[in-house]
Amino acid sequence: MTPLTMAVVSRNYFNMPAWLGLHAGLFAAEGIDLAIEHIEGIEEVNDRVSTGRAQLAYGVTEHVILDAESGGHQVIIGGNVNRLPFSLIARAGIASLKDLRGKRIGVSSLRAGSSSLIMKLLAAEGLQYPGDYELVPCGPILARWDLLRSGGIDAGLQGAPLNHIALDQGFVSLCEPRMDFQFTSLDVDSRWADANRDTLLRFLRGFLRAHERFHTDHDLVRDVAVKESGIEPRYADRAWEEYTRDGIFPRDGEASEAGVQALIETSALIRDLPSRARTHAADYIDRRWLAEARASL
């Protein structure tokens, strides 16, 4: 068995394809002994790929772009969250996006991730950062949920199933963006990939089978979600229904060029990086690996 380490963000539903491949033995069938490391700091995930502590990552896609801007070697080789899966959840008493004026909004990081989305959503309602509201960098979805419940923030993006749990507990949804947007992706250091071709292709065959299995084996998905995240089965079912209905995970495992381009344009607009808006999504996606893995299935 070949050991591989994959870094992922926290224990949220975004990790389902990797969890599923592990529990169903899809990676083991290819001779891959996969260790999944759950990390709370989103910057740390892609940092582990850069330093070689992890060979693969379900990372925030904007970090691949930031890495490229600094002369790094990370590339997107597969999809993960290809369409926005979020609800902007707020405490009771906040009825609209305009009501977020003067409020504290939790985001994963000020450097990348959910902060660009929040800025864009609120700018459309006439609210500008930093004058009209405060962004609180508090980490990924689970950390935002804890702060929302404790009163540390007034609102934050939540994905399924935590959005459904929040609504059942009396919180409100202000909007539910579902456009193409490559929020997270399967990332690798291109130098490691070139030097470990056979290992990467074996991993990717398991990856492709896991994405197909996610869409076809509802019962197994429920069982894995409950075991890995501790949610109730009814919320695991709601998450599966939402992710399959809205095409949040790509059935073919591919990254979304439209989604990466939307990310580039949004972050360039919000972060005052006009040169980034002139880059193209295809510059960051290397489709050769999945194509070769698929051909060998």
Side-chain angles (χ1 to χ4, degrees), residues 1-174:
M1 298 287 280
T2 305
L4 275 185
T5 299
M6 182 176 185
V8 303
V9 179
S10 192
R11 280 192 176 273
N12 68 60
Y13 201 85
F14 294 177
N15 303 325
M16 270 304 310
W19 288 341
L20 188 62
L22 191 64
H23 283 267
L26 303 178
F27 298 120
E30 292 288 344
I32 298 295
D33 180 15
L34 183 68
I36 299 176
E37 296 187 345
H38 302 85
I39 300 165
E40 294 305 313
I42 68 168
E43 286 87 357
E44 177 71 12
V45 172
N46 289 77
D47 284 347
R48 292 201 180 192
V49 172
S50 294
T51 59
R53 288 176 290 166
Q55 292 76 51
L56 298 147
Y58 272 160
V60 172
T61 304
E62 191 169 359
H63 283 146
V64 176
I65 297 170
L66 290 167
D67 181 75
E69 289 171 347
S70 62
H73 300 275
Q74 290 190 37
V75 292
I76 302 162
I77 60 170
N80 182 226
V81 175
N82 285 23
R83 304 190 77 222
L84 291 181
F86 296 116
S87 301
L88 180 51
I89 299 294
R91 59 176 175 78
I94 297 175
S96 69
L97 293 175
K98 292 183 184 296
D99 291 342
L100 292 175
R101 185 180 299 274
K103 300 299 191 294
R104 289 165 55 85
I105 305 168
V107 294
S108 52
S109 166
L110 297 180
R111 184 169 177 256
S114 56
S115 54
S116 286
L117 297 175
I118 292 292
M119 293 179 198
K120 183 174 182 179
L121 290 169
L122 296 193
E125 298 296 324
L127 301 183
Q128 302 299 322
Y129 178 77
D132 292 327
Y133 55 91
E134 181 182 354
L135 291 180
V136 179
C138 54
I141 285 174
L142 293 176
R144 291 201 295 274
W145 177 227
D146 288 341
L147 276 178
L148 188 61
R149 287 184 293 174
S150 69
I153 58 175
D154 299 295
L157 291 169
Q158 291 295 337
L162 284 178
N163 55 349
H164 300 295
I165 295 172
L167 294 175
D168 286 349
Q169 293 186 12
F171 293 89
V172 297
S173 176
L174 303 181

